[in-house]
Amino acid sequence: METPPSSLCLLRLSALGDVTHAVPVVRTLQKAWPETRLTWIIGRLEAELVGDLPGVEFIVFDKGRGFASYRDLYRQLRGRRFDVLLQMQVALRANIAGRLVRAPLRIGFDRARSRDGHGLFVNRRIEDNPRVHVLDGFFDFLRALGIEERELRWDIPVPEDAADFARRHLPDGERYLAINACTSARVNNWRNWSAERYAAVADYAATAHGLRTVLTGGPAPAERAMATAIASRAQHPVIDLVGATRPKELLAVLGRADLAIAPDTGPLHIAAAAGTPVIGLYATSNPWRTGPYRWREWVVDRYPEALAAETGLHPEDTRWGRRVRDPAAMQRISVDDVTARLDALLANHQAPSSP
């Protein structure tokens, strides 16, 4: 654009990890166009995590309200007009929600990354660049506007009550390893490692490095069962906060940890955004697409061999982001794989480098 727009609306409803990836895009917009009014249409849970970013108006879309969520959004947007809409989600729910935004320039994803009729809801697409990390794909929206710079900064605010919660459960004087063992529950979502192996890593972290393990996660029964299984198998006591945190408290807890370990799940990216070194466990998804952005060299990556075993293909020979649907794929990751990464990362701990 030859001149910055007066107003810009960004639509990214979910999920926690993807919303975390969108924060540097907002930071870049604020730096490049400080006078542009920014509005972000976002999901309810996701707003709890980032909804207090300074200088941004947030409009919450609560998908739990069903059809009423669209009526609520319509009422909040009635009579308003934006210069630009960044339609940064392709799911049908998000496409329909974006249709309620009045904007002459409506930028969406390229054809390779589109689905659910996404092209019907936008009038300009970003350049075809699908084989990149999700965060890089978000920055392609800024390139479409003529912004080439990047502000790789998160600085998500931590309220004092959330910081107090973290200090109470992770007091000063100890060092902590955060393990977020589970991913969200989906059909054929084989991204979870085993409780026995997590317990072995927790015990190794305690004996070799003096790290006390804190377990994080959501309140789902499967996550509670996993936490119970890890705690019962570990020889050293763990701090169990699974189901006990809201997004801001989770951010504060992960920010106090010295290291975090998790599979491909939102809290892994929240930990990275908080500045905590992370080790991602990947076998069923491609870490070069969804890995912890500035810590990808520390990922335990068994995705290529799991993909080859299932399909006979290399990641470069198939659809970018293709998932492995083998329930045993994560067992390709051994305890030794993870403890070796843990040793190396703690020995070389430094600020993450930009890609």
Side-chain angles (χ1 to χ4, degrees):
M1 303 185 71
E2 294 183 0
T3 58
S6 297
S7 60
L8 182 147
C9 180
L10 181 156
L11 190 148
R12 181 74 208 192
L13 305 178
S14 61
L16 285 172
D18 291 322
V19 163
T20 303
H21 292 325
V23 171
V25 173
V26 171
R27 296 301 194 188
T28 302
L29 282 167
Q30 290 176 318
K31 182 178 180 180
W33 294 342
E35 302 302 319
T36 299
R37 298 188 305 275
L38 301 180
T39 298
W40 186 344
I41 301 176
I42 193 170
R44 178 184 56 79
L45 183 67
E46 292 75 11
E48 291 188 33
L49 177 65
V50 302
D52 55 353
L53 290 179
V56 183
E57 174 198 20
F58 286 88
I59 297 178
V60 175
F61 180 90
D62 185 357
K63 66 180 182 181
R65 287 177 48 78
F67 179 78
S69 61
Y70 297 101
R71 184 181 63 229
D72 296 341
L73 181 60
Y74 171 78
R75 288 172 177 171
Q76 293 181 83
L77 293 174
R78 182 186 301 166
R80 299 188 60 178
R81 183 180 178 89
F82 301 89
D83 294 321
V84 181
L85 168 67
L86 302 184
Q87 182 74 33
M88 295 173 63
Q89 192 162 348
V90 299
L92 183 59
R93 178 187 293 113
N95 288 331
I96 296 173
R99 196 65 218 167
L100 301 177
V101 179
R102 296 179 62 197
L105 179 57
R106 312 172 63 84
I107 303 177
F109 281 99
D110 55 280
R111 295 182 186 278
R113 285 175 282 189
S114 296
R115 66 173 190 271
D116 293 344
H118 182 68
L120 301 175
F121 299 87
V122 300
N123 56 23
R124 180 175 174 182
R125 295 179 182 270
I126 62 176
E127 290 185 6
D128 186 9
N129 187 26
R131 303 183 77 86
V132 296
H133 193 278
V134 170
L135 193 152
D136 293 318
F138 287 172
F139 272 115
D140 284 340
F141 281 82
L142 300 192
R143 292 181 60 218
L145 295 171
I147 300 174
E148 297 289 344
E149 65 186 278
R150 293 187 175 195
E151 183 75 4
L152 279 175
R153 180 172 63 88
W154 283 261
D155 293 339
I156 302 172
V158 178
E160 191 56 35
D161 59 343
D164 286 342
F165 175 92
R167 283 191 291 264
R168 287 197 308 272
H169 292 281
L170 281 68
D172 293 336
E174 292 192 76
R175 301 174 69 221
Y176 299 96
L177 164 66
I179 292 179
N180 197 103
C182 292
T183 62
S184 57
R186 302 179 191 172
V187 176
N188 295 331
N189 179 36
W190 312 113
R191 287 183 284 176
N192 292 341
W193 208 32
S194 70
E196 293 82 3
R197 296 185 185 187
Y198 275 123
V201 169
D203 285 334
Y204 179 85
T207 57
H209 298 284
L211 294 171
R212 188 172 182 188
T213 292
V214 54
L215 303 177
T216 63
E223 297 197 50
R224 283 291 333 136
M226 174 68 86
T228 299
I230 294 172
S232 66
R233 288 164 171 78
Q235 300 300 308
H236 295 78
V238 303
I239 303 168
D240 184 357
L241 295 181
V242 173
T245 57
R246 298 301 301 172
K248 285 295 190 185
E249 293 166 338
L250 175 63
L251 173 66
V253 167
L254 294 173
R256 282 184 69 79
D258 294 85
L259 180 69
I261 297 175
D264 184 6
T265 186
L268 181 72
H269 304 293
I270 295 173
T276 299
V278 296
I279 297 173
L281 308 183
Y282 282 71
T284 65
S285 52
N286 188 341
W288 295 102
R289 178 181 178 272
T290 62
Y293 191 69
R294 295 185 297 175
W295 298 93
R296 281 172 286 179
E297 69 266 34
W298 298 103
V299 164
V300 178
D301 183 11
R302 292 290 177 265
Y303 174 71
E305 64 187 63
L307 179 68
E310 183 174 75
T311 67
L313 299 173
H314 185 271
E316 296 299 324
D317 300 326
T318 188
R319 176 176 55 84
W320 190 245
R322 179 172 180 169
R323 292 197 180 277
V324 173
R325 300 300 184 184
D326 177 5
M330 287 293 286
Q331 302 314 306
R332 294 178 178 275
I333 298 174
S334 70
V335 172
D336 287 345
D337 290 334
V338 181
T339 57
R341 280 285 193 272
L342 189 152
D343 290 341
L345 184 51
L346 289 176
N348 295 277
H349 180 207
Q350 56 186 0
S353 58
S354 299

